[in-house]
Amino acid sequence: MSMNEQAINNIMEGVIKGVIEQLKTEAPRVSVSTGACEPIPVELSARHVHLSEQDALELFGKPLTPVRELSQPGQYLCEERVRLIGPKGVMDNVAVLGPARSASQVEISNTEARTLGIKAPVRQSGDVAGTPGIILASQTGIVGLEEGVIVAARHIHMSPEDSDKFGVKDNDRVSVRLESDRPVILEDVVCRVHPEFKLAMHIDPDEGNSAGWNKSVTGKIVR
Amino acid sequence: MSMNEQAINNIMEGVIKGVIEQLKTEAPRVSVSTGACEPIPVELSARHVHLSEQDALELFGKPLTPVRELSQPGQYLCEERVRLIGPKGVMDNVAVLGPARSASQVEISNTEARTLGIKAPVRQSGDVAGTPGIILASQTGIVGLEEGVIVAARHIHMSPEDSDKFGVKDNDRVSVRLESDRPVILEDVVCRVHPEFKLAMHIDPDEGNSAGWNKSVTGKIVR
């Protein structure tokens, strides 16, 4: 090899290495950080209602009575139960979750919506504008909601620390693989970030059934 | 660096970048053939039973009566209906599909299994060994099945031509994305290949609900 060829060779090697380095830094920049692989507890959110203070008073004659803490700090199951009355069906003994909210809201699965005869849209909790109404009854009172029936959109509660770890922001949508013997990847899972939130993914009974859910099933963010 | 070296450098860089660009456009050569992107019709398979000739005779006193063709050639809905009687609940007016099979089989969703009080495993149709039993009743007869209650495992019926197109074989498991406003990727979907099969994916009501299914929803094999 002449000196010239050797020189060209060296230049080539340098150029190629430079381009490769450039590609390395540009190309596989993964969107999520290493925490994305950490398993997320998955909780099944069965049908329940949230009540406004006024609706609670009308149904029970007194404010709601906490009986058990739920996984999200400050949230609790109440002693009170309600009956849901839809145009095609009725559901008894439905759980009431506290504390009271600014507006009453009923969260059911698509299967339950069909039983009640209500076309409930998939919505985030609290986003009830224009949703169908329903009748709520206790043993002593009755309340007609003009709106508020939703199928709760799947979501993950997480703290700001968790969101940093997973590389996501509040309201980001991610795909989550549920690790079970009937595995599914649920897309469009909303990340809900709040300092008070404890890491937990919430799915509804339909999603739980189709994913072979049990209490030990965890989720992994896959993108 | 001399003029010469600089010139060589520039040319090389151009050539290398050209090659890399070419690689980029060639790269995403998916492992499955082009047909993998073809949408697959998705059908919701509601609860139903298949009966043996003997069980049909015991329940109805005569062989099954076809009333409507189903999507899979040779399969039909029957005039006859049965009642499912489980330890915790009853379901009336359940569809019977023909023709008669060698063994009776009951296909329900996980939600329905819970209503009936039966722990039904997820199985492929026909694979009923060791599954729970149930009581079937008509207006004139009653039959106790010792086994045969399953949650049907999601699957795709396809012809050998379809399987070639999708690059899969009989019994292969694929992941299928259901394209809806509540999108999911169902994993472990079994491919069932037979010359008589018409292309259709079958899911159960739980899967349909969690995937926002309607008649226009299609599936795409994603791996």
Side-chain angles (χ1 to χ4, degrees):
Chain A
M1 194 183 272
S2 75
M3 233 353 243
N4 246 355
E5 278 177 49
Q6 182 60 54
I8 291 170
N9 233 333
N10 289 345
I11 293 166
M12 285 213 17
E13 216 175 304
V15 170
I16 290 168
K17 279 186 177 162
V19 172
I20 286 169
E21 278 310 305
Q22 206 180 326
L23 279 172
K24 269 187 192 161
T25 56
E26 277 177 8
R29 190 178 292 154
V30 263
S31 60
V32 279
S33 68
T34 50
C37 282
E38 193 185 309
I40 298 169
V42 180
E43 297 175 352
L44 196 84
S45 197
R47 58 179 178 260
H48 65 269
V49 311
H50 300 279
L51 294 175
S52 67
E53 280 186 38
Q54 194 192 332
D55 289 344
L57 281 175
E58 261 180 75
L59 286 166
F60 307 108
K62 60 182 180 66
L64 298 170
T65 317
V67 288
R68 185 165 59 79
E69 297 275 308
L70 299 177
S71 72
Q72 291 309 310
Q75 303 293 303
Y76 50 83
L77 175 69
C78 299
E79 192 179 87
E80 292 79 10
R81 299 262 159 171
V82 292
R83 167 176 285 185
L84 306 182
I85 306 175
K88 276 177 71 176
V90 164
M91 286 187 164
D92 285 326
N93 207 30
V94 175
V96 177
L97 304 192
R101 294 199 177 183
S102 57
S104 295
Q105 174 178 304
V106 176
E107 298 181 37
I108 54 179
S109 72
N110 217 321
T111 300
E112 291 155 355
R114 212 158 292 166
T115 303
L116 293 164
I118 293 174
K119 274 193 186 302
V122 178
R123 291 281 186 94
Q124 282 301 310
S125 184
D127 176 18
V128 296
T131 59
I134 196 167
I135 295 168
L136 306 179
S138 67
Q139 298 207 325
T140 54
I142 192 158
V143 163
L145 299 185
E146 285 191 11
E147 60 184 20
V149 183
I150 63 170
V151 174
R154 48 206 181 217
H155 56 273
I156 308 173
H157 292 275
M158 55 174 82
S159 67
E161 293 71 41
D162 291 325
S163 76
D164 284 350
K165 203 165 52 186
F166 290 116
V168 298
K169 304 182 307 296
D170 190 36
N171 275 320
D172 273 3
R173 278 157 195 267
V174 293
S175 294
V176 179
R177 181 169 193 269
L178 300 192
E179 320 255 305
S180 74
D181 53 5
R182 206 185 189 191
V184 302
I185 295 171
L186 298 174
E187 301 187 7
D188 268 4
V189 181
V190 180
C191 296
R192 291 169 57 187
V193 183
H194 190 279
E196 293 286 293
F197 284 166
K198 200 183 134 192
L199 185 64
M201 176 169 178
H202 284 175
I203 60 173
D204 78 8
D206 288 336
E207 291 164 336
N209 282 330
S210 60
W213 178 87
N214 62 52
K215 281 176 185 178
S216 66
V217 165
T218 57
K220 276 187 186 162
I221 295 179
V222 291
R223 78 186 147 101
Chain B
M1 199 180 272
S2 74
M3 223 8 235
N4 246 354
E5 281 178 45
Q6 184 60 53
I8 291 169
N9 228 335
N10 289 346
I11 292 166
M12 293 260 328
E13 213 175 308
V15 169
I16 292 167
K17 282 191 173 155
V19 170
I20 286 167
E21 278 310 305
Q22 209 181 325
L23 280 173
K24 272 187 192 164
T25 54
E26 276 178 8
R29 192 180 290 154
V30 264
S31 61
V32 277
S33 68
T34 52
C37 283
E38 193 186 308
I40 298 169
V42 179
E43 297 175 353
L44 196 84
S45 196
R47 58 178 178 259
H48 64 269
V49 311
H50 300 279
L51 295 174
S52 67
E53 280 186 39
Q54 194 192 331
D55 288 343
L57 281 175
E58 259 178 77
L59 286 165
F60 307 108
K62 61 182 178 66
L64 297 170
T65 318
V67 287
R68 185 167 58 79
E69 297 276 306
L70 299 177
S71 74
Q72 292 309 312
Q75 302 295 302
Y76 49 84
L77 175 70
C78 299
E79 193 179 87
E80 292 79 9
R81 298 263 161 171
V82 293
R83 166 175 286 187
L84 307 182
I85 305 175
K88 275 178 70 178
V90 163
M91 287 189 163
D92 284 325
N93 207 31
V94 175
V96 177
L97 305 191
R101 293 198 178 182
S102 57
S104 294
Q105 174 178 305
V106 176
E107 297 181 37
I108 55 181
S109 73
N110 217 320
T111 300
E112 291 155 356
R114 213 157 293 168
T115 304
L116 292 166
I118 294 175
K119 276 195 184 300
V122 177
R123 291 281 186 96
Q124 283 301 310
S125 183
D127 176 18
V128 295
T131 60
I134 197 168
I135 295 169
L136 306 179
S138 67
Q139 298 207 325
T140 54
I142 194 158
V143 162
L145 299 186
E146 285 191 12
E147 61 182 21
V149 182
I150 63 170
V151 174
R154 46 207 182 216
H155 57 271
I156 309 172
H157 292 274
M158 57 174 81
S159 66
E161 293 72 39
D162 291 324
S163 76
D164 284 349
K165 204 163 52 184
F166 290 115
V168 297
K169 307 182 303 297
D170 191 35
N171 276 321
D172 272 2
R173 279 156 195 266
V174 293
S175 293
V176 179
R177 181 170 193 270
L178 300 192
E179 321 254 305
S180 75
D181 52 6
R182 205 184 190 190
V184 301
I185 295 171
L186 299 173
E187 301 187 6
D188 268 3
V189 181
V190 181
C191 297
R192 291 169 56 187
V193 184
H194 190 278
E196 293 286 293
F197 284 165
K198 201 182 134 194
L199 185 63
M201 176 169 178
H202 284 175
I203 60 174
D204 77 9
D206 289 335
E207 292 164 334
N209 282 330
S210 61
W213 178 87
N214 61 53
K215 282 179 184 174
S216 65
V217 165
T218 57
K220 276 184 186 164
I221 296 180
V222 290
R223 75 188 150 101

